[in-house]
Amino acid sequence: MSYNVTLQDIADALNLSRNTVSKVLNGHSNVPDSTRDKVLAQAMKMNYKRLSYSLLENRGSNSPKEIMLLTKLGSLQLSFWTLVLQGIAEKLSQQGYELKLTALAREDLEHCRLPAGISGRTAGFICADTFPLPFLNALQEKKLPAVLIDAPPELREQPSVFDIVMMENRDSVRRLTNFLIKERGHRRIGFIGNPGACISNLDRYLGFQDAMSAAGLSVDPGCCLLEEHSAKYRDIPQAQSHGAGGFSNRFSSAFHEWLSAQLDGLSSLPTAFVCASDSLAIETVQVLKDKGIKIPDEIAVVGFGDVPEAVIIEPNLTTVHTPKIPLGAQVAEELIWRLGHPDSPVKFVFLQTELKVRASA
């Protein structure tokens, strides 16, 4: 026998009063739009039998209900972004918004071409990954709210009109580097990652410098790889096993060869590498193992992100755990809040992280 959903069921699911739900489903006007959208979305989700089609028609005509998620072509193949997307989609669905995914090619970003699918139903944007400043300036001209997950470092040089939600990066990598120094006794530590790529990378590099300086250690440029390297090789992540450990690579073989050559070109290898991301750390582990270098006995390697592959690679990766689904939910929540508070000051929101010590360090 099928179960008939009641007003109380909907109220309990949303932590609202039964009276509020009743007002929405009976068409009363003295209910906030955000609450009305939330109740109608939950009623549809729970297949409430007495839901009036006229209410849905009115909802569609009175409030925009599409959020466009912009991403770089290929990014959603990476496990970090798939989990963030899950958090975004779940939160938007709860609030009655539809999520429209739009992948942009490099040429779109270089020529500041905005998606053709922007319409009167588009309420705002979520930018997953880092987008160039000229593209963000073009997006600003649409006069719609947007929340960024990371941003180019140049954005700090001008007033931002977009809210930003990201992980706490600087203190996180400071703690990670302190662990290598104080708990593992490393004195010569290198950094791999491009500080100019995004605010996250810059803050992670600054956190690395903070820890080294506090310990009275100098950063040796000859132990670091700081130049641009990844954009050229990451457009089409490979799904093949490459290098030691049987890990399914997130980078192309060209990048693997490039990284190997760059490590060979260092004036001297450090005893530990701090990498700006788990993808870089995992690739570094594979390249070093291909060279016959033992990890962590000869060189320790740590990353940032705690992607699922971090516990597949051998040795398991020491890294900074980032709450990816909660990150996505927070991003969606900030955008929904911004829709109701368009004139409030721009927000910069950080989510806390946690150090995960494993066998690579």
Side-chain angles (χ1 to χ4, degrees):
M1 182 174 63
S2 61
Y3 174 73
N4 289 326
V5 175
T6 66
L7 295 179
Q8 190 63 54
D9 293 328
I10 298 171
D12 291 343
L14 297 173
N15 197 27
L16 295 172
S17 71
R18 184 183 182 282
N19 185 49
T20 298
V21 172
S22 177
K23 285 182 178 180
V24 172
L25 297 179
N26 284 290
H28 290 273
S29 60
N30 59 337
V31 180
D33 287 344
S34 59
T35 301
R36 179 178 293 104
D37 287 345
K38 188 188 304 184
V39 170
L40 293 175
Q42 188 66 30
M44 286 189 291
K45 182 178 179 181
M46 298 177 73
N47 196 25
Y48 180 62
K49 302 298 185 183
R50 300 178 64 185
L51 181 61
S52 169
Y53 182 72
S54 63
L55 289 174
L56 300 179
E57 283 187 316
N58 291 334
R59 171 177 172 262
S61 61
N62 291 335
S63 60
K65 55 180 180 180
E66 178 183 276
I67 301 298
M68 184 173 287
L69 185 139
L70 306 179
T71 184
K72 292 180 181 178
L73 194 63
S75 286
L76 292 184
Q77 299 176 44
L78 304 177
S79 56
F80 175 88
W81 289 113
T82 58
L83 292 170
V84 173
L85 176 59
Q86 181 181 337
I88 292 171
E90 289 176 354
K91 179 61 69 172
L92 290 179
S93 176
Q94 291 169 9
Q95 299 296 323
Y97 289 92
E98 297 175 3
L99 181 63
K100 182 175 183 179
L101 302 181
T102 303
L104 300 169
R106 185 187 305 166
E107 293 75 19
D108 296 325
L109 299 176
E110 289 174 349
H111 294 93
C112 299
R113 289 197 291 258
L114 298 180
I118 299 173
S119 70
R121 297 181 65 245
T122 306
F125 304 98
I126 292 173
C127 294
D129 219 324
T130 304
F131 291 89
L133 189 56
F135 178 85
L136 294 177
N137 290 336
L139 189 65
Q140 178 183 341
E141 294 177 4
K142 286 295 180 180
K143 306 296 183 184
L144 292 172
V147 175
L148 313 182
I149 309 175
D150 218 336
E154 311 92 82
L155 194 65
R156 283 182 168 166
E157 304 303 318
Q158 68 176 47
S160 176
V161 299
F162 297 139
D163 299 306
I164 301 176
V165 178
M166 62 198 310
M167 296 300 171
E168 199 302 303
N169 292 290
R170 186 164 181 166
D171 278 352
S172 299
V173 174
R174 179 187 55 78
R175 292 195 303 270
L176 180 64
T177 308
N178 274 339
F179 165 78
L180 293 173
I181 296 169
K182 297 177 180 179
E183 301 297 326
R184 294 294 187 260
H186 292 284
R187 311 296 289 174
R188 296 186 65 255
I189 307 173
F191 186 90
I192 298 180
N194 176 18
C198 55
I199 289 177
S200 286
N201 274 15
L202 175 60
D203 284 352
R204 291 169 196 176
Y205 182 61
L206 293 174
F208 166 72
Q209 289 183 316
D210 290 344
M212 295 289 282
S213 176
L217 303 174
S218 60
V219 176
D220 182 357
C223 293
C224 300
L225 295 178
L226 304 177
E227 64 183 274
E228 176 58 54
H229 49 71
S230 60
K232 198 170 171 184
Y233 303 112
R234 286 189 64 188
D235 289 339
I236 307 176
Q238 290 189 336
Q240 66 183 39
S241 178
H242 186 84
F247 172 71
S248 179
N249 236 340
R250 294 301 182 187
F251 291 90
S252 68
S253 58
F255 179 81
H256 186 89
E257 294 167 6
W258 179 90
L259 181 58
S260 180
Q262 294 301 307
L263 291 177
D264 287 341
L266 293 179
S267 57
S268 61
L269 287 173
T271 62
F273 277 120
V274 175
C275 299
S277 69
D278 280 358
S279 295
L280 280 172
I282 290 168
E283 196 70 25
T284 300
V285 166
Q286 293 185 346
V287 169
L288 293 174
K289 289 172 75 172
D290 287 350
K291 297 178 182 297
I293 295 173
K294 296 179 180 178
I295 299 166
D297 297 344
E298 297 178 73
I299 299 180
V301 179
V302 300
F304 192 105
D306 199 19
V307 297
E309 295 86 356
V311 292
I312 297 175
I313 188 74
E314 290 292 341
N316 291 177
L317 187 65
T318 293
T319 185
V320 173
H321 173 75
T322 58
K324 301 158 200 64
I325 294 176
L327 171 63
Q330 184 68 44
V331 168
E333 194 170 289
E334 288 300 322
L335 182 56
I336 292 166
W337 181 88
R338 175 59 59 189
L339 289 168
H341 302 80
D343 299 322
S344 294
V346 171
K347 297 167 70 175
F348 209 141
V349 179
F350 293 104
L351 271 67
Q352 281 290 351
T353 65
E354 179 185 358
L355 182 61
K356 291 290 185 180
V357 178
R358 301 190 181 108
S360 71

